[in-house]
Amino acid sequence: MEFTESQIQRYSRQIILSEVGGKGQKKLQDAKILVIGAGGLGSPAALYLAAAGIGTLGLTDGDVVDLSNLQRQILHTTDRIGVSKVESGGTLLTALNPEITLNLYPEHVSVTNILALIEAYDIVLDGSDNFSTRFLVNDACFFAKRTLISGSIFRFEGQLATIKPHEGFPCYRCLYPEPPPAGLVPNCQEAGVLGALAGTIGVLQANEAIKEVLGLGESLAKHLLLYDALDMTFRKVGRPKSPDCPLCGPHPTITKLVEQEVSCTI
């Protein structure tokens, strides 16, 4: 592999792993990963992906940094309050690893832009905080045949899944066919969330993405990982493919992207 002396030193702890080596580091260098959301999950995920040497990293978010974000969104600092989250995040990611290609999109994903965004990437990490975006990202990745690493957090609990219906595995709708009714699930402002929990799930998302790039270990494509920060327990449950799935089932009722307006958040 052709690496500079600086790159060899930077990634030395990965390269000396027999499962990674120079060939694996080259795979990471060639990989293109999009992180949706520069918040609690996207922050640690993007940091570790950049540190690992993912060659092209995209970051999309339409919000600006708020003081209430700083308890868990570690891409941002107090002096960047009011600044676009992707601009703020880009500053830190570039400082961490100036060798990667960083694409910043100061916009929320929607029906009109998501396919164009994700088609430029191999893997998508969903760090969004609302059901409408979560279902939109799942559906778009299904139509674009892109691997999705989906994470979510609520109070003291987190969930993680790798979604690859284009390879015959279940999609997000196999588990949750439709978003819950508006108002059924309280948002983070109402229920709260432990800041360190976001770090745990976000780092696990980065870990799963790196495993997918390198082809290492066991994928979460057939399971849902549940984490309880109070009991400090991890539990893996089966996530079978649903024969009645409205998206990836044999008789789909969802054949195009549709914006689903749901006010509650995860």
Side-chain angles (χ1 to χ4, degrees):
M1 300 299 103
E2 295 183 2
F3 296 110
T4 65
E5 288 297 324
S6 174
Q7 288 173 325
I8 292 172
Q9 185 173 359
R10 178 185 290 272
Y11 306 120
S12 62
R13 299 304 188 275
Q14 284 179 172
I15 293 174
I16 62 175
L17 291 169
S18 59
E19 296 87 348
V20 179
K23 290 183 178 179
Q25 192 61 50
K26 183 63 165 59
K27 288 181 180 180
L28 295 174
Q29 190 178 61
D30 292 340
K32 299 177 181 180
I33 298 180
L34 176 67
V35 178
I36 296 178
L41 297 176
S43 289
L47 282 167
Y48 270 97
L49 292 174
I54 295 299
T56 302
L57 190 60
L59 187 64
T60 179
D61 198 309
D63 288 335
V64 299
V65 179
D66 183 81
L67 182 60
S68 65
N69 300 150
L70 302 183
Q71 163 254 8
R72 64 201 177 280
Q73 300 183 15
I74 58 173
L75 270 178
H76 317 299
T77 53
T78 304
D79 63 339
R80 295 185 199 143
I81 291 173
V83 174
S84 161
K85 282 188 178 180
V86 294
E87 180 183 337
S88 170
T91 298
L92 184 52
L93 293 170
T94 299
L96 174 63
N97 192 347
E99 295 183 347
I100 66 171
T101 297
L102 188 60
N103 299 324
L104 304 177
Y105 309 99
E107 56 188 318
H108 293 300
V109 294
S110 66
V111 168
T112 58
N113 69 3
I114 189 168
L115 285 175
L117 282 173
I118 68 175
E119 284 176 350
Y121 296 88
D122 311 310
I123 296 174
V124 177
L125 266 67
D126 182 16
S128 62
D129 65 352
N130 63 84
F131 282 111
S132 56
T133 301
R134 191 168 302 280
F135 279 84
L136 174 64
V137 172
N138 171 74
D139 297 355
C141 286
F142 170 78
F143 291 122
K145 295 182 171 58
R146 294 295 187 271
T147 295
L148 170 63
I149 313 293
S150 178
S152 64
I153 54 175
F154 183 72
R155 289 177 50 82
F156 302 99
E157 299 176 347
Q159 297 184 2
L160 180 69
T162 297
I163 298 170
K164 302 192 289 185
H166 55 285
E167 295 185 15
F169 296 101
C171 77
Y172 189 77
R173 287 185 185 268
C174 288
L175 185 64
Y176 305 113
E178 296 291 339
L184 181 64
V185 179
N187 59 36
C188 290
Q189 290 179 328
E190 297 166 334
V193 64
L194 188 69
L197 171 65
T200 302
I201 300 301
V203 168
L204 289 176
Q205 283 183 278
N207 186 75
E208 288 306 297
I210 291 170
K211 282 169 53 184
E212 288 292 325
V213 172
L214 296 176
L216 295 179
E218 181 182 355
S219 171
L220 275 174
K222 295 191 292 185
H223 295 90
L224 178 69
L225 183 69
L226 305 173
Y227 171 60
D228 188 316
L230 294 183
D231 293 340
M232 194 52 70
T233 56
F234 287 93
R235 185 162 58 99
K236 243 186 352 181
V237 298
R239 189 169 54 89
K241 193 172 178 64
S242 171
D244 301 319
C245 179
L247 181 67
C248 71
H251 305 290
T253 57
I254 300 171
T255 57
K256 64 179 180 179
L257 290 183
V258 178
E259 199 88 57
Q260 292 184 278
E261 295 297 332
V262 184
S263 62
C264 57
T265 61
I266 300 179

